[in-house]
Amino acid sequence: MTDTFDGGCACGALRYRMHSRPMFVHCCHCKDCQRQTGTAFSVLVGVPTDALQIEGADNLGSFTTVGTDTKEDVKRQFCRECGSPVVSIGDAFPGVTFIKAGTLNDRSWLQPQLHVWTDSAQPWVPLDAHPGMTLPRGPSA
Ligand SMILES: [Zn+2]
Ligand SMILES: [Zn+2]
């Protein structure tokens, strides 16, 4: 894994930098992630909130979804200028911020360890390529 761990939105108004290594990488197939990202699933990097520094936070918009099963709030934060989803913060995970992995400057090291909310996964997503890493239920972020 790289030591370079920074990224930002499409227009550059929002940048972030991490001061520690990521805790985990997972793919979330929940319907809220599908809708928010406009695609089949989110690739999320979990990081300690304390170690994440966001520049341009004035441009950070936020929309809260409530997990269908968990009933927990997820704050989905995005750039107000370009609309890129950048981070999510879930009440179910205090102290953890989920970075949308596509916003990283260096994505070469990404290796998802887990697929969650696979009940709503699109049928053509090859979950079988990751045996032992799927859960029928999991956290929504
Ligand atoms: Zn932007
Ligand atoms: Zn999700």
Side-chain angles (χ1 to χ4, degrees):
M1 188 182 293
T2 178
D3 284 331
T4 305
F5 194 71
D6 50 17
C9 66
C11 77
L14 271 183
R15 313 301 304 169
Y16 60 80
R17 181 172 290 276
M18 265 285 296
H19 301 292
S20 90
R21 292 194 165 209
M23 300 156 75
F24 53 84
V25 181
H26 77 260
C27 297
C28 183
H29 299 262
C30 83
K31 289 177 180 172
D32 290 335
C33 278
Q34 290 175 350
R35 193 175 289 279
Q36 188 208 11
T37 61
T39 181
F41 56 89
S42 287
V43 184
L44 297 160
V45 179
V47 300
T49 301
D50 289 349
L52 182 68
Q53 198 178 351
I54 296 180
E55 294 167 30
D58 288 353
N59 290 306
L60 197 65
S62 189
F63 182 77
T64 299
T65 55
V66 181
T68 309
D69 292 345
T70 63
K71 312 290 185 220
E72 302 265 13
D73 284 0
V74 179
K75 290 188 189 69
R76 296 170 178 275
Q77 302 192 318
F78 55 89
C79 174
R80 289 185 203 275
E81 285 296 316
C82 67
S84 305
V86 179
V87 296
S88 294
I89 300 165
D91 281 359
F93 298 91
V96 180
T97 295
F98 296 90
I99 293 175
K100 300 284 186 188
T103 64
L104 290 162
N105 290 337
D106 179 6
R107 290 152 236 170
S108 61
W109 54 270
L110 283 171
Q111 184 69 58
Q113 294 143 332
L114 198 68
H115 292 266
V116 297
W117 295 103
T118 53
D119 281 3
S120 47
Q122 291 291 294
W124 45 264
V125 174
L127 296 172
D128 292 346
H130 305 283
M133 297 205 310
T134 60
L135 291 178
R137 290 287 176 194
S140 172

